[in-house]
Amino acid sequence: MRKVCLFVLGALLVALLPALPAQSTGASLGAIAQPIWQTNAEVRILAVSGGKVYAGGRFTSVRPPGSPAGTNEVARTYLARFDAATGALDMGFNPVLNDAVHSIAASADGTRIFVGGDFTTVNGSSRRKLAAFDAATGALSNQWRPSASWRVKAIEVRGNTVYLGGSFSLVNNIDRLRLAAVTADTATLLPWAPVPNNEIYAMALSDDGTKMFAGGPFTSVDGTPANTAVSLDPNTGAVQPFPAGSAVPQPSGSCVSRVRDISTHGNQVFFANSGDGGGCFDGTFAAAVDTGALLWKNQCLGATEAIEYVNGWLFKGSHAHDCAYQGAGNFPQGAGYRFLLSQDINTGAIGPWTPNTDAGPPTEVGPLAMATDGSNLWVGGDFRTVNGTGQAGITRFISSGPGAAPAKPAAPKVFSAKPGEVKINLQTVYDMDDTTLTYKLYRGFNKELIHTWSGFSEWWRKEQLTYTDTGLPVGSDQIYRVEVSDGANVVLSNYSAHIIVSGTTANYFGQVLADNPANLYWRLNDASGSLTTADSSGFANTGNSSSTGITYNQTGRTADGNKAASFTSSGRITGSKPSNSDAAVSVEAWVKTSSFLGGRILGFGSGLTGSSTTSDRQLYVDSTNRVKFGMRVNGVRTTITSPSAINNNQWRHVVGTFEPGSMKLYVDGALVASAATPGTADVYRGYWRAGNDSLTNWPNRPLSAGLSGTFDELAVYPFALTDQQVLTHYQTN
């Protein structure tokens, strides 16, 4: 439903003024929740009209922002009104209803507010599921008194017509099965009467008034197949062509998906779905108003209960938990829940706006309703916190102001691995309403600016940035600090550790550390019989070794006396820290093998124990004894292969790198294979694993799942190493 109505005179003039954009935000709204009163139970519906916000639901009292539950409570039975600019409770609007409110809409001129739900009385007077109030005085209307036999879940208004949807069978004691229309002035029943075969959850009129869209658990309207979404003629009720309905799977024993909410903008109409059953469609889709053609579909898992178009973005309330599913392209299962998200209206891609709520009883869903005045957003639901702070039932976000500040960056990590040079590494930080931030690197206490980056981050995945400061005096003491900005907010890191500029080239260990193997660095220098492998990266991703198939304390490749480990085909090391697969990656290993059976060396997999069901970002020796680097890009297994075999029982240095658009394979410091890779790497949650793991369906699958041989210096980086970095590693002892 389109939950925005403007008061005709003063409010209309305000609405015509250009909205002030939220400064420093990637989306059109800041992610900082603004003050508004709270409710003691869920909010099911919101509407904005004449500078007021109307909230309906199951609540019976409200309280000021910041007040804990049970304190400063003011009675409001199922319906309340707040000031849109301040969030303050309207003390003069206090109708008394005897049951829940599920739908609210304003008249075309903004002078009356129509309400539907489960109630049967208002202010002690009989009102069966429907009522109207004077917007100026709050008085209950005695002129508009329709009745419905059961719940009214949706109300839409066009001119002098009020459209109704729900689970009723009678309106004004005349047969109207779940859809009906009455006049806005006298509630006279109109002949508009499509008949769906199940109830209606949501309705929305197109911006040009030519289409009425409805959604719910129905599968047909007037006998015409229409699975959960339908386009209707607002004059006759006739079913219109709507091919986009095919985006929703047909109901089955394992999956039933229903439209929960609808929003419109221009020639676009957006639908929110929730599904019952594992992997059932829980996402959003968009259609063209004029043709009904599908424009896009996003298959995030986690029921979507509410959507609203605001300032060029689609905002959604859901309990999303897997937005990598079926190529949805964002955070994977296991990363966590996100209850508030934004989406690109042209592609459906998840956007940069990611504030959060929790989910409370009875539905345990979180956001259930959204409304806008055209510039700002109100959210209602069963949540009890917003951005970690107590705020129950309702919250709001505005389009003006500075937006959320970036998190404080960690102090930069510094290394001096070459004469006269210091390498500085840092991780990008999360900002609730920006994914691209500006990072400035300063040297010394006088803040000499030496480098600026544009860095990307999301709440679930962050980027590593690196810079090499050259031409420094050997033996000098240097210190560094980073400043991050979103254009309005500026946050400084602590200073780095002091670093003395080296006059010599570091050994292999020093070179790898300087290049920041932020996923893991397993040197395999562990005691015989050990069941764990130390992580030298500084990121504490200790490896858990299989009880058989690995023998430590073998002669290593490096000159510092570091030991290696021999693997049989069953040997496996699994990282202790689950992580989200990176958008870019480098996988590096030294191996020595004479095996003709091939097998996996190092890669990413979904399994903590046993074989992974999903794996990629991996180096393996194939059935021809050549080394392969394999990625899953846009769901397709993609590999590049060395031109010759590597099973000559000599130490071989192998590195695979990927960044969007390109993957490369290096053997002994030289680039031996590369490929253009349009698209993005598949996203899922898993573990880094050395040795045995599933290679099912990978090209030239070897006879063995794990490579038999000696492994040393295993490292993984969340970015693509350069040709020079790979060569330096190969040439350094």
Side-chain angles (χ1 to χ4, degrees), residues 595-652:
S595 172
F596 286 89
L597 302 179
R600 195 169 187 263
I601 301 169
L602 177 63
F604 195 70
S606 59
L608 173 61
T609 59
S611 294
S612 297
T613 56
T614 303
S615 64
D616 81 325
R617 295 159 170 84
Q618 60 191 357
L619 292 164
Y620 68 96
V621 177
D622 69 12
S623 58
T624 67
N625 299 308
R626 298 179 297 172
V627 66
K628 272 183 164 61
F629 179 55
M631 295 285 304
R632 292 177 64 98
V633 181
N634 292 344
V636 177
R637 292 178 178 84
T638 304
T639 59
I640 48 179
T641 310
S642 65
S644 57
I646 67 163
N647 60 335
N648 60 350
N649 205 31
Q650 300 295 315
W651 281 115
R652 310 301 297 269

Side-chain angles (χ1 to χ4, degrees), residues 427-439:
Q427 187 180 64
T428 58
V429 296
Y430 171 50
D431 184 315
M432 288 193 294
D433 46 35
D434 286 287
T435 52
T436 302
L437 302 170
T438 299
Y439 297 79

Side-chain angles (χ1 to χ4, degrees), residues 104-368:
I104 305 173
S107 62
D109 62 4
T111 61
R112 284 172 301 155
I113 304 299
F114 302 104
V115 175
D118 296 331
F119 55 87
T120 56
T121 66
V122 179
N123 296 340
S125 298
S126 177
R127 293 291 190 277
R128 291 191 59 80
K129 318 301 182 186
L130 289 160
F133 300 90
D134 185 289
T137 67
L140 177 66
S141 172
N142 287 317
Q143 285 71 46
W144 197 80
R145 299 187 61 169
S147 66
S149 59
W150 206 249
R151 176 179 294 172
V152 176
K153 187 72 170 66
I155 300 177
E156 281 289 302
V157 180
R158 185 185 71 160
N160 194 41
T161 302
V162 179
Y163 298 89
L164 310 173
S167 50
F168 50 82
S169 59
L170 300 172
V171 173
N172 294 350
N173 293 316
I174 297 174
D175 287 347
R176 287 292 187 273
L177 198 59
R178 307 181 186 101
L179 284 169
V182 299
T183 61
D185 50 6
T186 63
T188 300
L189 187 64
L190 296 172
W192 194 83
V195 179
N197 68 341
N198 209 329
E199 61 188 310
I200 298 296
Y201 287 166
M203 298 171 69
L205 191 67
S206 63
D207 291 4
D208 62 6
T210 63
K211 299 285 195 306
M212 176 64 76
F213 297 98
F218 54 84
T219 57
S220 69
V221 178
D222 290 339
T224 300
N227 179 31
T228 197
V230 67
S231 174
L232 300 169
D233 187 306
N235 298 309
T236 67
V239 176
Q240 305 294 301
F242 191 63
S246 63
V248 183
Q250 292 293 321
S252 68
S254 60
C255 172
V256 178
S257 180
R258 313 167 185 86
V259 168
R260 289 287 186 178
D261 199 9
I262 308 172
S263 182
T264 62
H265 169 67
N267 194 42
Q268 291 174 295
V269 55
F270 309 99
F271 295 83
N273 275 63
S274 68
D276 293 337
C280 193
F281 181 51
D282 269 340
T284 51
F285 68 99
V289 168
D290 54 359
T291 65
L294 181 67
L295 300 177
W296 54 258
K297 177 181 178 180
N298 183 292
Q299 303 212 78
C300 271
L301 291 180
T304 306
E305 299 286 341
I307 52 174
E308 191 63 84
Y309 170 86
V310 188
N311 292 335
W313 289 89
L314 183 67
F315 294 87
K316 79 174 217 165
S318 68
H319 58 276
H321 56 85
D322 185 353
C323 283
Y325 184 73
Q326 294 290 313
N330 209 260
F331 62 92
Q333 177 75 25
Y337 283 81
R338 221 66 197 172
F339 293 91
L340 292 171
L341 294 167
S342 59
Q343 292 183 256
D344 186 303
I345 62 170
N346 296 311
T347 66
I350 301 300
W353 186 83
T354 56
N356 213 11
T357 72
D358 65 351
T363 61
E364 301 289 349
V365 169
L368 297 166

Side-chain angles (χ1 to χ4, degrees), residues 700-731:
N700 298 107
R701 178 185 176 187
L703 292 175
S704 175
L707 181 67
S708 294
T710 307
F711 294 11
D712 200 7
E713 304 292 339
L714 308 181
V716 181
Y717 312 75
F719 52 85
L721 292 170
T722 66
D723 294 357
Q724 185 57 55
Q725 286 173 311
V726 173
L727 180 60
T728 297
H729 290 192
Y730 172 66
Q731 292 177 337

